[in-house]
């Protein structure tokens, strides 16, 4: 198996339609995950702040061992408090490398998936090109990835179709005081034309194809990464826009995301 195929397999997250399987996965972490978990629970009551810093560092070390190389992405993920984005009952598991339920039959993506997708998306961007980039995220969910994106890039617009999650994200993000992030409620398949064009587009839900609106709202020279469902399951698609009528597609490996749905709820 190629290196790429290996990490993409690891990036798979539980299907929302298979809650038993997802629960099984979450309750049977591998040994590295268990180690992080026990550190979190052992000392959590004493020094919550310090503990979450320590387990975040351990999470980032795990991401590095799993092949994430982008130091900017790793640094931001060392600082964004993922435990504030999951329900209190699950916060001791927030730094395990697993997807966790966030309500409304949706999940917060695995840290590895977040890290790897952003790393791929941002690969050619350095310095000010990176810190000034304008980004569209489709599928805000609980807002965790939106927070990571906002700390890395210039301007982030994130759209969510489930009102309850859109509001939950707003609440989760409030205390982080992120000024360069705009949350939008609506059907992300239409993109957010008012703030287009975007240098980077990232989707956290899989459709059967990449909506035309996303392609049109990309900046020329911009990049898009999205899971796409096909006959054999989902694959991650990387699209680069090279001209007003030219887009180049690279199909990466298998992933498993929640479905991209129509309309709002
Ligand atoms: N970015 C999140 C992942 C959330 S899961 C994280 O940080 O972990 C994917 C999200 O995409 C779900 O909340 C789902 O409701 C949302 N979604 C699905 N179809 C959508 C659409 N058409 N427009 C906007 N959001 C959509």
């Amino acid at each position: 198996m190629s290196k790429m195929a290996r990490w993409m397999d690891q990036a798979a997250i539980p299907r929302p339609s298979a809650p038993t399987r997802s629960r099984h996965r979450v309750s049977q972490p591998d040994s590295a995950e268990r180690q992080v978990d026990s550190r979190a629970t052992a000392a959590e009551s004493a020094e919550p702040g310090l503990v979450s810093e320590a387990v975040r560092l351990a999470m980032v070390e795990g991401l590095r061992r799993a092949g994430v190389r982008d130091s900017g992405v790793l640094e931001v993920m060392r600082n964004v408090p993922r435990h504030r984005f999951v329900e209190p009952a699950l916060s001791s598991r927030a730094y395990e490398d697993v997807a966790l339920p966030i309500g409304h039959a949706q999940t917060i993506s695995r840290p590895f998936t977040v890290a790897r997708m952003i790393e791929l998306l941002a690969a050619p961007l350095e310095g000010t090109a990176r810190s000034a980039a304008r980004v569209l995220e489709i599928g805000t969910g609980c807002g965790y990835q939106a927070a990571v994106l906002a700390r890395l890039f210039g301007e982030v617009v994130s759209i969510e179709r489930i009102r309850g999650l859109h509001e939950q994200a707003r609440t989760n993000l409030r205390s982080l005081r992120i000024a360069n992030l705009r949350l939008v409620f609506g059907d992300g398949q239409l993109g957010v034309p008012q703030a287009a064009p975007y240098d980077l587009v990232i989707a956290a839900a899989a459709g059967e194809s990449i909506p035309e609106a996303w392609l049109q709202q990309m900046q020329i020279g911009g990049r898009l990464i999205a899971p796409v469902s096909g006959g054999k399951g989902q694959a991650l698609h990387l699209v680069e826009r090279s001209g007003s009528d030219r887009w180049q597609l690279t199909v990466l490996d298998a992933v498993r995301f929640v479905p991209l749905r129509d309309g709002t709820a």
Side-chain angles (χ1 to χ4, degrees):
M1 202 191 288
S2 73
K3 207 166 178 201
M4 186 68 86
R6 228 174 22 242
W7 77 253
M8 279 304 170
D9 280 343
Q10 292 170 347
I13 65 169
R15 227 188 273 275
S17 56
T20 359
R21 189 182 150 166
S22 123
R23 239 176 269 130
H24 177 72
R25 237 202 87 80
V26 168
S27 62
Q28 304 243 313
D30 67 25
S31 56
E33 287 167 344
R34 216 173 299 135
Q35 205 181 352
V36 172
D37 192 28
S38 62
R39 280 216 233 166
T41 34
E44 189 103 6
S45 46
E47 300 245 31
L50 288 180
V51 171
S52 74
E53 241 171 73
V55 289
R56 259 201 309 278
L57 187 59
M59 176 189 83
V60 164
E61 288 311 317
L63 295 175
R64 210 190 296 274
R65 278 195 302 278
V68 178
R69 290 281 165 265
D70 189 308
S71 55
V73 174
L74 290 169
E75 178 61 19
V76 167
M77 290 184 68
R78 195 166 74 80
N79 287 306
V80 175
R82 192 170 184 260
H83 66 278
R84 297 222 198 135
F85 293 85
V86 299
E87 36 188 283
L90 291 171
S91 65
S92 68
R93 321 196 59 164
Y95 298 104
E96 293 178 25
D97 192 19
V98 291
L100 294 169
I102 54 172
H104 306 267
Q106 306 301 319
T107 51
I108 178 173
S109 303
R110 279 180 67 184
F112 183 80
T113 306
V114 171
R116 206 51 207 214
M117 277 178 83
I118 299 176
E119 176 175 69
L120 272 175
L121 187 67
L125 300 184
E126 282 172 13
T128 50
R130 185 178 276 214
S131 57
R134 296 170 45 75
V135 185
L136 172 65
E137 178 191 44
I138 297 99
T140 315
C142 60
Y144 172 72
Q145 180 169 275
V148 173
L149 293 168
R151 293 250 172 110
L152 271 167
F153 303 113
E155 199 81 34
V156 177
V157 176
S158 180
I159 184 164
E160 170 59 52
R161 65 175 289 276
I162 299 177
R163 189 175 282 283
L165 284 174
H166 166 73
E167 277 159 14
Q168 200 174 302
R170 197 173 285 294
T171 307
N172 293 341
L173 287 158
R174 193 164 292 134
S175 64
L176 300 185
R177 298 180 192 285
I178 299 174
N180 59 333
L181 169 61
R182 189 169 135 209
L183 299 181
V184 178
F185 169 64
D187 181 354
Q189 290 178 107
L190 308 173
V192 182
Q194 310 88 292
Y198 303 97
D199 301 298
L200 305 171
V201 178
I202 182 167
E208 280 165 18
S209 60
I210 292 177
E212 184 64 25
W214 300 359
L215 299 174
Q216 293 301 341
Q217 289 170 28
M218 291 171 74
Q219 181 75 264
I220 293 171
R223 291 158 71 82
L224 171 153
I225 196 157
V228 175
S229 302
K232 291 191 216 138
Q234 298 175 4
L236 208 52
H237 287 205
L238 176 71
V239 178
E240 291 158 287
R241 184 172 192 178
S242 52
S244 55
D245 277 323
R246 281 177 74 90
W247 290 264
Q248 263 130 28
L249 169 67
T250 310
V251 177
L252 302 170
D253 224 284
V255 283
R256 208 176 310 132
F257 277 82
V258 297
L260 187 70
R261 297 213 188 275
D262 290 340
T264 53

